[in-house]
Amino acid sequence: MNDDSHLRETPLARAELLRGHFLHVVRDTVRLPGGREATREYVLHPGAVMVIGLLDDGRVVLERQFRHPMQAVMIEFPAGKLDAGEGSLACAQRELLEETGYRAREWAFAGRLAPTIAYSDEIIDIWFARGLTPGERQLDEGEHLDVFSATPAELQAWCFSGEVIDCKTLIGSMWLQNVQRGEWALEWSPRQAAPDAGQSAP
């Protein structure tokens, strides 16, 4: 690994700008590698998961949900943020059940995604799930979304046409393609129980 000390910034102080119901925004004062000081404003995030659910017929589980900042209905893979003290797999299992009603027989951790590195420390863990069985959704109050399925080819076409622009779903589609081609391997295991609290990765 190359030495990156000449690129690193040294944190000096932090001021809180906003602590809302969801967003926590701070301004850090840092010392740049050249010695000058600068400020960095960004969002602190508890972390999140995304689930690529594979149906037995080869289709994938997707959602359509209105996203207020975009003022548009977006096509996405199921996803959600971690609750306090919640492990990554436990969150993936919970979000899949709550949003889609599906439970999975097997799970595989794929990797991590940092969607907004310039203004947030959010990390999204990418999970694959298979052996899905349907059930009742458990949506949060005020949560409205449609669940549907599509072939990987249909999803890829929507990514190419611009109908899908959600970052995590674009990355999920890339992961799916490489897994299906046999170029990226997954380690599947029957994970029925949630991991220990605080476990942020498998």
Side-chain angles (χ1 to χ4, degrees), residues 3-200:
D3 179 14
D4 58 6
S5 59
H6 63 293
L7 302 174
R8 292 188 172 274
E9 301 172 354
T10 304
L12 301 175
R14 170 170 293 179
E16 184 173 272
L17 302 183
L18 169 70
R19 184 183 285 273
H21 175 69
F22 174 62
L23 294 181
H24 185 192
V25 184
V26 297
R27 178 190 292 126
D28 284 356
T29 301
V30 301
R31 179 174 292 111
L32 302 177
R36 294 177 52 200
E37 292 187 6
T39 58
R40 301 285 186 250
E41 296 177 357
Y42 62 103
V43 177
L44 299 178
H45 194 283
V49 300
M50 176 180 69
V51 181
I52 301 172
L54 307 176
L55 295 169
D56 291 343
D57 64 1
R59 300 167 73 86
V60 294
V61 178
L62 295 166
E63 299 174 350
R64 296 180 70 251
Q65 184 173 187
F66 181 79
R67 293 297 192 177
H68 180 78
M70 304 301 296
Q71 286 295 294
V73 172
M74 312 294 285
I75 296 175
E76 309 173 46
F77 280 117
K81 68 180 182 67
L82 276 72
D83 289 339
E86 185 177 38
S88 177
L89 175 58
C91 182
Q93 293 171 328
R94 176 179 57 78
E95 288 292 344
L96 183 65
L97 175 63
E98 290 180 353
E99 294 188 355
T100 73
Y102 283 107
R103 297 179 186 270
R105 184 180 65 251
E106 292 182 290
W107 291 83
F109 178 77
R112 286 181 159 172
L113 160 66
T116 51
I117 58 174
Y119 58 87
S120 177
D121 65 351
E122 179 181 9
I123 296 289
I124 300 176
D125 284 351
I126 304 169
W127 288 91
F128 278 70
R130 69 184 182 187
L132 303 185
T133 55
E136 291 294 323
R137 295 192 295 170
Q138 303 171 16
L139 296 177
D140 294 334
E141 184 178 356
E143 188 175 24
H144 304 277
L145 55 88
D146 291 338
V147 178
F148 71 104
S149 61
T151 66
E154 288 172 328
L155 175 58
Q156 184 179 359
W158 295 333
C159 293
F160 180 74
S161 69
E163 188 168 354
V164 171
I165 62 171
D166 171 58
C167 174
K168 66 183 181 299
T169 305
L170 290 168
I171 296 299
S173 177
M174 179 192 72
W175 260 97
L176 180 61
Q177 289 179 53
N178 282 283
V179 167
Q180 289 185 319
R181 292 171 182 164
E183 297 176 2
W184 292 0
L186 296 175
E187 294 184 10
W188 292 95
S189 60
R191 309 190 189 204
Q192 300 297 334
D196 294 337
Q199 181 178 341
S200 59

